[in-house]
Amino acid sequence: AIQGGLASVLAAPRPVAMAQAEEHTSLLSLPEEILLHAARLCLSASLPAAVRLATQTCHTLRRALQPLPAEAERRRLRWQPSLTLRHAISSDGRLLTKTHANGQDCACAAGPLLPTAGRSAWRLRVEEADDEAAILVGVCDAAGRSEWGLNLRRGDLVHLNRNHKGQIVSVGKSAVLMTFQQRVAHLANLDRVKVVEVIVDHDASTLTFSIDGAPPLLPAPISPCAADATVLERDGRRGGGDV
């Protein structure tokens, strides 16, 4: 009976608070260079998670990870003035505001070049748009002439080609990205503020999206040269991207 009692005690789980305290103590016992290396690995996987790790933890960890917020800030995508038409750029390069009501086909903006291999993913927030706005979010080639973008109103992928003035000269065939159930849910929530995650597989030359944290849409093939930079093309008065 005693042996059985001992076995049951030994097999009982540790209190949660005690287990968490021990894990926290063991983490703080690591050398600061190891902590910073682990945080940089986190940064390569998820910029938002790395920022939270460096800013929303205890004082000891924040001190050890002091270089991380600056490194994360340098990784943020910013809109490039040379590839931006009919928009004002503010908030240290991260916010777009449309400045012209006419010539909508010239309104576009692009960010920096993306890698040529592996997988890239980033998020963009649309803060405000007209009820009839057509906003495309996606990627373009290095010159900003060929674009692949998700039409946030219809939920399909659109391919646009522009001339050197930024005017749309041709529109390719749209690609279906949503199942019927996804499209119904999407159309029912068009008035919501949207956070769009853009996901590019450079090796497979595919593009897909996740809207407001939902499961990713169907991946669509794109031209390899089109995935050089992030792009936003819009037909609304005002909106913003936070990437």
Side-chain angles (χ1 to χ4, degrees):
I2 296 177
Q3 290 179 344
L6 286 174
S8 63
V9 171
L10 293 175
R14 294 178 300 169
V16 174
M18 182 184 299
Q20 291 177 342
E22 291 178 1
E23 292 171 0
H24 188 63
T25 302
S26 62
L27 182 63
L28 295 179
S29 66
L30 294 173
E32 289 190 359
E33 58 269 21
I34 299 298
L35 291 174
L36 185 57
H37 178 70
R40 284 172 172 154
L41 293 177
C42 178
L43 176 61
S44 65
S46 172
L47 189 151
V51 171
R52 289 194 297 270
L53 178 63
T55 59
Q56 300 178 18
T57 52
C58 68
H59 175 73
T60 303
L61 275 179
R62 290 201 304 271
R63 183 184 61 196
L65 305 180
Q66 189 174 4
L68 199 65
E71 294 178 16
E73 193 63 29
R74 288 194 294 270
R75 281 197 52 189
R76 288 187 183 274
L77 298 179
R78 287 174 169 80
W79 302 109
Q80 304 298 297
S82 60
L83 291 175
T84 296
L85 297 173
R86 300 183 182 273
H87 287 89
I89 301 176
S90 58
S91 297
D92 195 25
R94 297 192 289 122
L95 181 68
L96 287 175
T97 302
K98 183 150 183 206
T99 56
H100 292 73
N102 298 321
Q104 292 93 337
D105 62 344
C106 293
C108 61
L113 293 177
L114 299 172
T116 57
R119 180 179 178 273
S120 298
W122 64 95
R123 295 180 181 90
L124 179 143
R125 185 175 70 247
V126 179
E127 295 180 344
E128 185 179 339
D130 287 343
D131 292 338
E132 298 180 357
I135 302 177
L136 307 183
V137 177
V139 293
C140 66
D141 62 4
R145 300 285 185 86
S146 182
E147 306 171 7
W148 296 82
L150 171 67
N151 186 319
L152 294 185
R153 293 204 63 82
R154 299 200 307 261
D156 55 353
L157 186 70
V158 180
H159 180 207
L160 303 178
N161 290 298
R162 297 175 179 271
N163 62 19
H164 67 284
K165 296 181 179 180
Q167 298 168 326
I168 298 173
V169 294
S170 66
V171 180
K173 184 179 180 181
S174 300
V176 177
L177 297 179
M178 295 184 178
T179 63
F180 177 77
Q181 291 83 359
Q182 286 176 320
R183 186 172 178 81
V184 169
H186 177 72
L187 294 176
N189 291 282
L190 285 178
D191 57 340
R192 290 183 54 190
V193 174
K194 294 196 180 335
V195 175
V196 183
E197 182 177 15
V198 186
I199 306 165
V200 186
D201 188 326
H202 302 279
D203 299 324
S205 295
T206 59
L207 177 66
T208 190
F209 304 86
S210 172
I211 301 175
D212 290 331
L217 306 179
L218 302 173
I222 59 173
S223 170
C225 65
D228 286 337
T230 178
V231 67
L232 181 142
E233 186 275 332
R234 59 188 315 108
D235 187 16
R237 274 198 307 264
R238 182 182 182 280
D242 186 0
V243 281

